[in-house]
């Protein structure tokens, strides 16, 4: 930087610093633009400290960048960038000029500035009444280093390893909470039904039409006649053919025991008459 002291812009306000910046941003309008801040960008690039100094051509944006970095102060120090507002304002939006503080003596600062006295790159001694603030590259560097240290110690969240399991069996659902809850509910219902049945002292029995209670015997259901067989209804017996009472046997001869004659299925003969009246069963047609 000091080797460039005494540099003077060319005709048309052309400078090698403006040419460098125009090539950098691919915009030719910077070749003959005010070059105080472009000189600082050029010097920072040559020194390899652009990340801490910044690379700008418009001074208000450069000051705003230091403010965002938390590297803005009102106290001068060597190596700081000094920002001026020739109208005496104190807002970064009104900044007109920038230089580099070389040393501080009392209330005065010694600087290196480009584009001063219209065409020169030279040293200047300034009062601080026109100074808006100072940007500190060392603070930007310290913040970046601290941020880098924090990021280097951060560890991403690592989820616990997942065990690989094969295809599940349908029986796996038996051990799940919903299955256990359903089993408990079912068991509760069964126990309640058993307790209520014991209190009543009765048991349910299915009633079939061919089951009777007489003598605890079970009658088998009648056979249905074969297809095509004609069944004649039985004629009611006369009252005088009733069976004598077992207590009064016949004086002359023993009562004839009549037997039922089974009519073969499919025969067309009429049923044999019986000497004793028969009771119509509930399953026979009336």
């Amino acid at each position: 930087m000091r080797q460039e002291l005494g540099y003077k812009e060319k005709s048309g306000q052309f400078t090698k610093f403006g040419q460098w910046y125009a090539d950098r941003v691919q915009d030719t309008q910077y070749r003959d633009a005010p070059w105080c801040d472009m000189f600082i960008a050029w010097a920072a690039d040559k020194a390899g400290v652009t990340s801490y100094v910044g690379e700008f051509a418009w001074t208000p944006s450069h000051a705003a960048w230091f403010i965002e970095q938390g590297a803005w102060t009102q106290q001068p120090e060597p190596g700081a960038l000094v920002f001026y507002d020739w109208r005496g304002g104190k807002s970064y939006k009104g900044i007109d000029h920038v230089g580099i503080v070389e040393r501080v003596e009392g209330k005065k600062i010694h600087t290196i500035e480009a584009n001063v006295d219209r065409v020169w790159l030279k040293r200047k001694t300034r009062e601080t009444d026109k100074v808006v603030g100072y940007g500190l590259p060392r603070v930007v560097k310290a913040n970046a280093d601290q941020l880098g240290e924090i990021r280097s110690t951060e560890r991403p969240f690592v989820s616990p390893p997942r065990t690989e399991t094969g295809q599940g069996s349908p029986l796996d659902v038996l051990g799940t909470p919903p299955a256990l809850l359903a089993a408990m509910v079912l068991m509760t219902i069964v126990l309640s039904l058993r307790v209520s049945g014991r209190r009543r002292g009765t048991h349910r029995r299915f009633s079939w039409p061919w089951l009777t209670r007489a003598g605890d015997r079970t009658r088998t259901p009648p056979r249905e006649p074969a297809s095509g067989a004609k069944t004649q209804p039985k004629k009611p017996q006369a009252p005088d053919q009733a069976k004598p009472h077992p207590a009064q046997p016949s004086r002359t001869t023993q009562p004839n025991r009549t037997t039922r004659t089974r009519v073969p299925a499919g025969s067309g003969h009429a049923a044999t008459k019986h000497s004793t009246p028969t009771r119509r069963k509930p399953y026979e047609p009336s």
Side-chain angles (χ1 to χ4, degrees):
M1 178 183 290
R2 292 184 175 88
Q3 290 82 357
E4 300 296 329
L5 289 172
Y7 180 87
K8 183 179 180 181
E9 68 180 39
K10 306 302 186 283
S11 61
Q13 206 175 358
F14 174 85
T15 62
K16 65 178 182 180
F17 311 113
Q19 180 66 58
W20 172 87
Y21 194 88
D23 295 340
R24 187 86 166 182
V25 299
Q26 298 296 311
D27 192 344
T28 58
Q29 68 174 336
Y30 291 101
R31 294 175 57 189
D32 52 1
W35 50 285
C36 61
D37 211 359
M38 289 188 289
F39 162 71
I40 294 176
W42 176 87
D45 180 72
K46 295 300 181 182
V49 292
T50 302
S51 299
Y52 315 129
V53 176
E55 187 176 279
F56 295 88
W58 194 42
T59 52
S61 296
H62 202 169
W65 181 79
F66 277 108
I67 294 172
E68 291 175 358
Q69 299 294 322
W72 184 256
T73 183
Q74 300 298 321
Q75 298 297 325
E77 64 178 59
L81 273 65
V82 53
F83 294 88
Y84 304 96
D85 182 356
W86 303 131
R87 292 182 297 272
K90 297 303 178 182
S91 172
Y92 76 94
K93 296 180 180 179
I95 291 175
D96 302 309
H97 187 62
V98 64
I100 301 172
V101 177
E102 193 172 23
R103 68 179 188 273
V104 179
E105 291 182 353
K107 294 184 178 180
K108 293 185 178 183
I109 56 176
H110 298 266
T111 64
I112 297 175
E113 302 174 18
N115 196 26
V116 293
D117 298 336
R118 296 186 180 180
V119 295
W120 295 99
L121 170 60
K122 58 189 301 187
R123 285 187 171 96
K124 298 289 291 186
T125 300
R126 303 262 190 200
E127 300 288 342
T128 58
D129 56 335
K130 304 294 183 180
V131 174
V132 177
Y134 302 88
L136 305 177
R138 66 169 182 84
V139 176
V140 177
K141 183 178 184 302
N143 292 341
D145 294 342
Q146 183 178 7
L147 182 61
E149 292 177 1
I150 294 173
R151 288 178 177 176
S152 64
T153 58
E154 291 178 350
R155 292 184 179 179
F157 175 76
V158 179
S159 58
R162 299 173 59 182
T163 58
E164 296 294 334
T165 58
Q167 185 176 3
S169 172
L171 298 178
D172 294 342
V173 73
L174 296 178
T176 59
L180 296 177
L181 179 61
M184 293 175 63
V185 172
L186 182 60
M187 185 177 295
T188 303
I189 294 174
V190 172
L191 292 176
S192 64
L193 290 177
R194 291 178 63 86
V195 170
S196 62
R198 290 179 180 178
R199 289 178 180 175
R200 290 196 301 267
T202 59
H203 298 278
R204 290 180 131 188
R205 296 186 63 182
F206 292 96
S207 59
W208 302 98
W210 56 81
L211 297 178
T212 60
R213 300 284 296 174
D216 292 335
R217 291 179 301 174
T218 302
R219 296 182 180 179
T220 58
R223 297 180 179 179
E224 296 181 1
S227 60
K230 297 181 180 180
T231 306
Q232 295 181 359
K234 295 181 179 180
K235 296 181 181 180
Q237 296 179 354
D240 55 355
Q241 296 180 357
K243 185 186 293 185
H245 197 275
Q248 298 177 359
S250 175
R251 293 179 182 182
T252 58
T253 58
Q254 292 183 358
N256 297 327
R257 292 181 180 179
T258 59
T259 59
R260 297 180 183 179
T261 303
R262 185 182 300 275
V263 179
S267 64
H269 299 283
T272 305
K273 294 183 180 181
H274 302 281
S275 62
T276 58
T278 58
R279 183 179 301 173
R280 184 174 59 83
K281 297 178 181 179
Y283 51 80
E284 292 181 348
S286 57

